[in-house]
Amino acid sequence: MGWICLALVVLCIAMSCVALWCRKEWVFEEYMRSLLREELRTVDDIRCGLEAENKQTKDLCDLLRKESAEKSERIVALLDENNKLRQQLPKRDSKGRFCKK
């Protein structure tokens, strides 16, 4: 009977040690998961910020493209008008003086 009690006590101590070891593993695992969650939140915040910045950059690029297109159209129109006005000028001689008709 004494051997049975001694075996049960040793078994109880062994089970307690295993339970404590498993608890340490579980606590460590939970700590690592919390760190991972925090890092994921940080990465998501950074990603959202970059997406917003990317959208603003695209909007700015579109606006600049429109302005550039409008200005190039205006420049082409001004060049056409300049060419028409030059054609209306009288011809010049070799010294650069205007010729009479």
Side-chain angles (χ1 to χ4, degrees):
M1 183 81 150
W3 287 103
I4 293 175
C5 287
L6 185 63
L8 287 175
V9 168
V10 169
L11 184 63
C12 183
I13 291 172
M15 287 175 27
S16 296
C17 290
V18 169
L20 284 175
W21 179 76
C22 287
R23 178 160 173 77
K24 284 182 186 176
E25 289 290 319
W26 292 334
V27 169
F28 177 73
E29 189 175 317
E30 184 61 34
Y31 172 71
M32 294 302 287
R33 284 184 179 164
S34 69
L35 286 178
L36 183 61
R37 274 187 237 116
E38 184 178 325
E39 189 173 335
L40 283 174
R41 267 187 255 128
T42 305
V43 169
D44 282 343
D45 291 343
I46 291 171
R47 183 182 52 84
C48 289
L50 289 176
E51 285 176 355
E53 188 176 317
N54 189 18
K55 186 178 183 301
Q56 288 175 348
T57 305
K58 283 183 180 179
D59 292 343
L60 183 62
C61 285
D62 291 341
L63 180 64
L64 290 175
R65 247 185 239 115
K66 285 181 184 178
E67 286 180 10
S68 176
E70 289 171 0
K71 287 183 180 183
S72 65
E73 288 175 6
R74 186 163 183 239
I75 289 171
V76 168
L78 288 173
L79 286 174
D80 288 342
E81 185 179 339
N82 188 19
N83 286 337
K84 287 179 187 176
L85 291 174
R86 278 184 185 238
Q87 289 173 357
Q88 293 175 1
L89 286 174
K91 301 295 179 197
R92 296 177 182 236
D93 63 2
S94 62
K95 294 183 180 179
R97 298 177 292 199
F98 289 111
C99 298
K100 296 181 182 177
K101 289 186 180 181

